[in-house]
Amino acid sequence: MPSHLYADRPAQPPEPGPVDALISRTRRLRGDVDAVRRDTVVDEDDPRGRWQRALCDLAVHQLDDLGEHLGQLREGLPPVPESSGLPPAAPGTTAEDRQTRVGSAEWNLLTDEVTWSEELFQIFGRPPEAGPLPLDELGSTLFSEDQPLLTAMVTDCLVDGKPIDGEFRIVRADGRVRTLHMRGEPVLDSDGCTATMWAVLRDVSELRRSQRAVRESQDSLQRRQEIARTEHRLAVELQEAVLPPWRGSLRFPHGSAAAMDVAAHYLPSATGSLIGGDWYDALELPDGRSLLTVGDLTGHGVSAASGMAMMLGALRGMAIAGIEPGPLMGWLNRLLEASVQPALGSALCCSYDPARRVLSWAQAGHPAPLLFRCGRGRALRPPEGVLLGATAGAAYGQAEEQLEPGDVLVLHTDGLAPQGFGFGRPDGTERLLALAPRFLAARSAQDCVRLVTEEFGEGEREDDACVLVARIGG
């Protein structure tokens, strides 16, 4: 609003045409924003959705304020009909809030005359018959902590001729608290002394409430994101601490003609943000046999990684103690039943005896090992075994397979194949079995792992995965 610095040079309102055009554009834009706000689905558990809705509410309030300001610019023109086509205001605002957002006042220092607009009476909740408040009584309506601010602004305006620009809170007679933004200037007489002071007071309560909602929802979203990043980092660190540290190929038992050449690889999900409970391991047992295992716990994040650490630690301990794969699965099932955090898991546990070249193995709801021999591959016939944690006291069978020099075993978790190629479906298994001629030409288990990751590593997997390859020596 143009300031009139001198009483003999009053500001003139602009021509009606441009202002009317701006008002129409503001109404159309407000209608578009309001439509987006209504279409925004708010889930109380979704901080991003709450933040987006709060931004829409804030935009609606700001456009309402812009409309009020343009109306002030068009002062002196015929009032806009009530059926102006404005969309309804944001929820939580009353008709009074929408119609009395801006009011004006003038205090004459020479005659002590005070003039308030009708809108300002409504903003303060004060009946017109009670009359306007003089400057020295205006502070009585403010919060006590805001009164010094008003006193300083008015003093600077009257004494030093400085413009007024500040916010304060008032308590109306009905007990409602409103936040007002006050802008004003002194009007000087011909001697340069303050004759009157005018001000425009704008009720910004809904605007500030919307801004607080935006800040709070944004803070909540940022906290959620920070928590997610921290949990992801912890899950990665825990996984790296638990999974075998070796890279490349291993050979054991040492000094045996039938020793296995073993290699493994962990493949993250396509986004890299989902750290699951997948594991793999291979180690030489005290009795000369070798342990091969892969498995997967449901869930993602720290809970899945900590559960995986618990299961893999128990599995290693029982295998070293000489417990066979079938009974070992039964004990893992009991461990998962007794866990404080319920979960389901699938697992594959193999024990290889190099003296007899016999593989003893058991499974718990897990894909069977794939055996490749002489350029052809097949899945081993699985013994009985349900998911770990699914059935109390479940029994797990154990199977044996006679192996030959040059055989290749592939153990994997079910997240290995990209979306649309699950290992519960023939096409996923067939893609692995189709690698048989290339496995035959491979010189080491590490080469076989590289072939698998080339086949499946670039796919859009929704979950992480592990693959372990063992090549029987001769």
Side-chain angles (χ1 to χ4, degrees):
M1 181 174 182
S3 61
H4 33 293
L5 296 178
Y6 292 91
D8 58 348
R9 297 195 316 197
Q12 298 296 326
E15 295 297 322
V19 177
D20 284 337
L22 288 173
I23 290 175
S24 297
R25 291 167 61 185
T26 302
R27 289 172 180 166
R28 288 196 298 270
L29 181 57
R30 188 200 185 282
D32 294 340
V33 175
D34 193 63
V36 173
R37 181 180 60 82
R38 290 195 304 269
D39 293 340
T40 302
V41 179
V42 179
D43 184 352
E44 292 303 322
D45 295 328
D46 179 14
R48 181 177 293 275
R50 295 200 307 271
W51 173 64
Q52 292 172 342
R53 180 59 179 266
L55 283 177
C56 289
D57 289 342
L58 178 59
V60 167
H61 288 311
Q62 290 175 329
L63 288 171
D64 284 340
D65 290 335
L66 177 59
E68 294 284 354
H69 295 164
L70 292 174
Q72 291 288 324
L73 287 176
R74 199 178 56 174
E75 185 179 355
L77 298 179
V80 180
E82 291 187 4
S83 58
S84 59
L86 277 175
T93 61
T94 64
E96 183 181 355
D97 294 332
R98 298 191 296 270
Q99 296 170 3
T100 62
R101 202 176 293 273
V102 180
S104 60
E106 185 173 3
W107 290 272
N108 191 311
L109 304 183
L110 302 178
T111 65
D112 290 333
E113 181 181 0
V114 182
T115 304
W116 276 19
S117 68
E118 179 182 351
E119 293 80 8
L120 192 58
F121 279 104
Q122 296 179 22
I123 289 174
F124 275 81
R126 184 177 178 86
E129 55 269 20
L133 289 172
L135 275 176
D136 55 357
E137 295 182 19
L138 185 64
S140 64
T141 64
L142 272 65
F143 273 56
S144 58
E145 55 265 37
D146 293 352
Q147 290 174 359
L149 172 64
L150 178 63
T151 301
M153 290 193 301
V154 172
T155 301
D156 289 343
C157 180
L158 299 182
V159 177
D160 300 327
K162 295 181 179 180
I164 290 176
D165 189 355
E167 281 188 18
F168 49 82
R169 294 163 297 169
I170 65 169
V171 181
R172 298 171 20 140
D174 58 9
R176 296 176 63 189
V177 176
R178 311 300 294 173
T179 301
L180 305 185
H181 189 105
M182 185 176 183
R183 293 177 63 93
E185 290 184 358
V187 180
L188 309 180
D189 60 17
S190 58
D191 296 327
C193 299
T194 303
T196 61
M197 189 188 83
W198 65 267
V200 173
L201 290 95
R202 173 183 170 212
D203 187 344
V204 294
S205 305
E206 300 303 324
L207 176 62
R208 297 296 177 256
R209 187 176 297 116
S210 295
Q211 290 173 334
R212 285 195 302 272
V214 169
R215 288 195 301 269
E216 291 170 359
S217 59
Q218 188 172 21
D219 290 344
S220 175
L221 177 60
Q222 290 174 344
R223 286 193 299 271
R224 292 282 188 93
Q225 291 174 338
E226 181 61 30
I227 291 172
R229 286 192 293 267
T230 301
E231 289 184 348
H232 180 264
R233 185 178 67 253
L234 291 175
V236 170
E237 292 175 354
L238 181 58
Q239 182 190 63
E240 291 177 347
V242 172
L243 290 181
W246 43 268
R247 298 293 183 267
S249 295
L250 291 179
R251 289 187 62 85
F252 46 78
H254 299 290
S256 172
M260 287 194 304
D261 176 23
V262 180
H265 188 68
Y266 169 79
L267 295 90
S269 63
T271 62
S273 60
L274 296 177
I275 302 298
D278 292 61
W279 78 75
Y280 67 87
D281 200 8
L283 71 155
E284 187 174 356
L285 301 176
D287 60 4
R289 293 184 298 174
S290 300
L291 170 71
L292 304 176
T293 180
V294 295
D296 182 17
L297 281 185
T298 56
H300 297 91
V302 175
S303 60
S306 60
M308 177 266 288
M310 175 188 70
M311 297 291 285
L312 186 53
L315 192 152
R316 288 167 173 166
M318 287 187 284
I320 290 175
I323 299 177
E324 292 292 323
L328 189 152
M329 286 295 180
W331 286 112
L332 286 181
N333 185 58
R334 291 189 181 184
L335 176 62
L336 208 53
E337 290 173 14
S339 176
V340 176
Q341 192 165 10
L344 295 175
S346 67
L348 187 62
C349 181
C350 305
S351 175
Y352 173 64
D353 183 354
R356 300 185 300 135
R357 288 198 177 94
V358 171
L359 183 77
S360 302
W361 67 285
Q363 60 86 28
H366 199 87
L370 301 182
L371 174 61
F372 296 84
R373 179 178 295 165
C374 300
R376 301 181 64 181
R378 63 181 176 87
L380 300 184
R381 184 180 182 86
E384 180 183 5
V386 298
L387 285 172
L388 299 174
T391 305
Y396 293 86
Q398 182 170 309
E400 290 189 351
E401 186 73 24
Q402 184 68 50
L403 301 182
E404 298 179 4
D407 284 352
V408 173
L409 284 171
V410 175
L411 284 61
H412 59 81
T413 57
D414 57 6
L416 180 63
Q419 185 178 9
F421 293 94
F423 277 100
R425 306 172 186 175
D427 50 1
T429 302
E430 288 175 1
R431 290 176 65 195
L432 270 176
L433 295 177
L435 296 175
R438 300 169 68 184
F439 286 162
L440 182 62
R443 293 178 296 178
S444 66
Q446 186 64 47
D447 289 342
C448 295
V449 167
R450 191 173 298 111
L451 292 172
V452 174
T453 55
E454 288 174 356
E455 177 68 21
F456 294 97
E458 301 300 326
E460 292 296 321
R461 283 185 313 281
E462 293 184 353
D463 201 359
D464 51 356
C466 293
V467 58
L468 185 149
V469 174
R471 192 166 180 266
I472 308 302

